[in-house]
């Protein structure tokens, strides 16, 4: 992946014919379990944006949408885990003078956490690439569209609000932490666009910081 990013920058427009093969592969690597792979894939996507700003903007929009869908899946898994734990607690036999067994509840929580891991990887990888693309596209022709910035702030709010979701925090605190970190990643990247671009979002950003 390191060599790919260097080649894309070096070759430039000559790599246009390979974008249909390169971009899907890079986007798949953003969901890889290994942190280093996700990071290098994000760097390669940034290299694509440098050579092809229009393609960079397309990747940016698709990654924001993908992040929102993975966050929704994490929340769905947390709700399912909570419902299954409640059902297991109701069905568990109650015995006097004995501590209740929590094996079923623990198993349910563990399964929910395991199922959420691919979504956590995707959220982390997407957050890295969004932060890199926002910073890179800001210095390229066309920049970052206002509506794209609005979407970034909106998705960031949703990610940060995961810390106030009792069901998610209880069922899967690691996933909640991943979402919050991703939200701050994206807000930090938005702030690099300068005061003029981000001025309409200052109040909401400061409110999010204060609540945290």
């Amino acid at each position: 992946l390191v060599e790919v990013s260097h080649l894309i920058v070096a070759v430039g427009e000559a790599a246009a014919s390979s974008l249909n093969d390169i971009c899907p592969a890079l986007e798949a690597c953003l969901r890889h379990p290994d942190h280093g792979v996700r990071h290098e894939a994000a760097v390669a996507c940034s290299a694509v944006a440098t050579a092809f700003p229009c393609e960079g903007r397309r990747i940016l929009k698709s990654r924001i949408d993908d992040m929102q869908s993975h966050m929704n899946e994490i929340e769905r898994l947390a709700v399912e885990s909570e419902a299954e734990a409640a059902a297991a607690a109701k069905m568990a036999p109650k015995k006097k003078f004995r501590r209740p067994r929590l094996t079923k509840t623990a198993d349910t929580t563990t399964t929910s956490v395991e199922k959420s891991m691919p979504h956590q990887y995707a959220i982390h990888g997407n957050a890295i690439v969004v932060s890199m693309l926002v910073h890179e596209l800001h210095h390229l022709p066309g920049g970052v569209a206002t509506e794209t910035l609005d979407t970034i702030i909106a998705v960031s709010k949703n990610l940060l609000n995961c810390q106030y979701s009792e069901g998610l925090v209880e069922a899967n605190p690691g996933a909640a932490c991943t979402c919050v970190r991703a939200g701050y990643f994206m807000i930090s990247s938005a702030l690099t666009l300068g005061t003029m671009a981000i001025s309409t979002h200052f109040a909401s950003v400061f409110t999010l910081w204060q609540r945290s």
Side-chain angles (χ1 to χ4, degrees), residues 3-191:
E3 287 77 9
V4 168
S5 61
H6 290 318
L7 281 171
I8 291 171
V9 174
V11 174
E13 294 183 0
S17 60
S18 301
L19 286 180
N20 290 336
D21 297 321
I22 294 172
C23 291
L26 292 177
E27 290 172 12
C29 288
L30 292 170
R31 303 188 297 270
H32 196 277
D34 187 272
H35 177 282
V37 173
R38 296 195 297 271
H39 183 271
E40 291 302 333
V43 172
C45 287
S46 180
V48 170
T50 301
F52 307 96
C54 289
E55 184 64 21
R57 282 186 281 274
R58 184 201 66 77
I59 295 174
L60 177 61
K61 291 178 181 178
S62 70
R63 293 306 91 202
I64 295 169
D65 293 340
D66 190 61
M67 194 180 319
Q68 180 67 59
S69 66
H70 283 290
M71 189 193 75
N72 293 340
E73 282 300 303
I74 285 178
E75 290 179 332
R76 181 186 63 79
L77 288 170
V79 171
E80 287 183 358
S81 176
E82 192 174 12
E84 289 174 5
K90 282 185 178 181
M91 295 179 65
K94 297 181 180 179
K95 296 182 180 179
K96 294 182 179 180
F97 310 113
R98 290 189 181 182
R99 296 176 66 182
R101 297 183 65 183
L102 302 177
T103 307
K104 287 288 185 182
T105 304
D107 288 346
T108 301
T109 302
T110 301
T111 302
S112 174
V113 171
E114 290 175 349
K115 287 182 178 179
S116 76
M117 291 310 296
H119 302 297
Q120 291 189 56
Y121 298 146
I123 287 175
H124 178 255
N126 284 329
I128 295 174
V129 77
V130 167
S131 64
M132 288 186 178
L133 288 175
V134 168
H135 180 72
E136 189 68 30
L137 289 170
H138 177 53
H139 303 287
L140 296 172
V144 178
T146 302
E147 61 182 32
T148 301
L149 178 59
D150 293 342
T151 304
I152 289 172
I153 297 297
V155 174
S156 298
K157 288 180 183 178
N158 293 339
L159 290 164
L160 290 173
N161 284 334
C162 286
Q163 63 189 302
Y164 309 115
S165 173
E166 293 183 4
L168 176 58
V169 171
E170 184 176 345
N172 197 343
C177 183
T178 298
C179 290
V180 172
R181 287 178 61 193
Y184 278 122
F185 257 51
M186 293 170 63
I187 286 179
S188 297
S189 69
L191 291 174

Side-chain angles (χ1 to χ4, degrees), residues 191-203:
L191 291 174
T192 66
L193 297 178
T195 54
M196 292 296 293
I198 201 71
S199 59
T200 57
H201 300 288
F202 274 151

